[in-house]
Amino acid sequence: MYHTKRIAIILPDTLQSSGLQSILTEYFAPVETNCFSTYESFMATGGDIFDYYFTLSETFVLNVDFFLPRKSKTVILSDCPLCGASQSAYTNLLTVRAPLETLIEQIQQLFENDVTNLGTSEGNKELSAREMEVLQLVVKGTINKEIADKLNISLNTVLSHRKNITAKLGIKTVSGLIFYAIMHGIISAEDIDL
């Protein structure tokens, strides 16, 4: 007998919420889904009664105090067609423009994994201390020359560290690195200029 998964869908777009609700109900029964158009309406329910949370990265970042401790249960919907390449760095990323089969596979992977293993990445453990420093500065919007000056290293060394970070995490965009850093507690949302 399967446990009925309680899922909160926190999306301002009614069509997107209904579509996700339909996919979850049709392919992943038994599920109980609740749709909320705002974070505030979601929090009116108490918030912590759900097994999984589906939301946008903007909602996650603006409410990081709630979602970060629940990152293993939080699924971020992304509109970025290139973000599928970042899937290895953050398991709970769902690319909304992906084909239905891909969406189903991604959701299935989420539900099959043990909750304690969701959203974790070995890539974080592979980064050296210096690479972590460079990552923190990159996601705060610091340019390469300033990173070199702050860390007292050459510009070529900064570029090498960035190349290694990209290779280890499989993330090629600064926005992807920002998302990764927030989800893994490397920086807080307050450290980023939105």
Side-chain angles (χ1 to χ4, degrees):
M1 185 166 159
Y2 294 101
H3 164 70
T4 300
K5 298 168 193 73
R6 296 197 69 201
I7 300 172
I9 300 171
I10 311 155
L11 299 171
D13 185 317
T14 304
L15 189 57
Q16 211 173 39
S17 292
S18 298
L20 179 57
Q21 186 175 31
S22 175
I23 291 171
L24 291 169
T25 304
E26 184 173 340
Y27 294 97
F28 299 100
V31 295
E32 178 186 325
T33 58
N34 295 83
C35 296
F36 306 94
S37 60
T38 65
Y39 176 77
E40 291 73 23
S41 63
F42 159 72
M43 285 307 291
T45 67
D48 212 15
I49 62 172
F50 297 95
D51 297 315
Y52 297 98
Y53 308 90
F54 285 75
T55 193
L56 300 173
S57 58
E58 294 86 2
T59 304
F60 180 93
V61 170
L62 292 173
N63 303 287
V64 71
D65 291 339
F66 176 83
F67 289 112
L68 190 57
R70 297 161 185 84
K71 70 179 182 180
S72 65
K73 299 172 17 170
T74 303
V75 180
I76 304 298
L77 278 66
S78 170
D79 197 22
C80 173
L82 301 175
C83 293
S86 303
Q87 189 70 21
S88 63
Y90 181 64
T91 305
N92 301 3
L93 183 66
L94 195 61
T95 308
V96 296
R97 293 184 184 217
L100 178 61
E101 297 79 24
T102 304
L103 291 173
I104 292 169
E105 287 173 12
Q106 290 175 343
I107 297 169
Q108 183 66 38
Q109 180 183 0
L110 167 73
F111 291 156
E112 286 178 353
N113 286 332
D114 181 38
V115 172
T116 59
N117 294 327
L118 293 177
T120 61
S121 171
E122 295 303 313
N124 191 21
K125 295 178 184 175
E126 294 176 14
L127 294 180
S128 69
R130 182 60 84 174
E131 288 167 344
M132 289 291 282
E133 290 176 309
V134 170
L135 176 61
Q136 289 173 336
L137 291 170
V138 167
V139 300
K140 289 179 183 177
T142 311
I143 62 172
N144 292 337
K145 176 69 174 127
E146 291 173 347
I147 294 172
D149 292 343
K150 284 185 180 186
L151 298 180
N152 204 21
I153 58 178
S154 75
L155 183 58
N156 284 338
T157 303
V158 172
L159 295 174
S160 293
H161 285 311
R162 289 191 68 164
K163 180 180 164 192
N164 292 340
I165 292 166
T166 297
K168 289 179 180 181
L169 300 180
I171 303 172
K172 297 179 181 168
T173 64
V174 174
S175 60
L177 290 173
I178 291 170
F179 184 71
Y180 175 88
I182 291 172
M183 292 303 295
H184 289 85
I186 296 169
I187 62 164
S188 69
E190 291 81 33
D191 295 334
I192 300 170
D193 294 330
L194 294 177

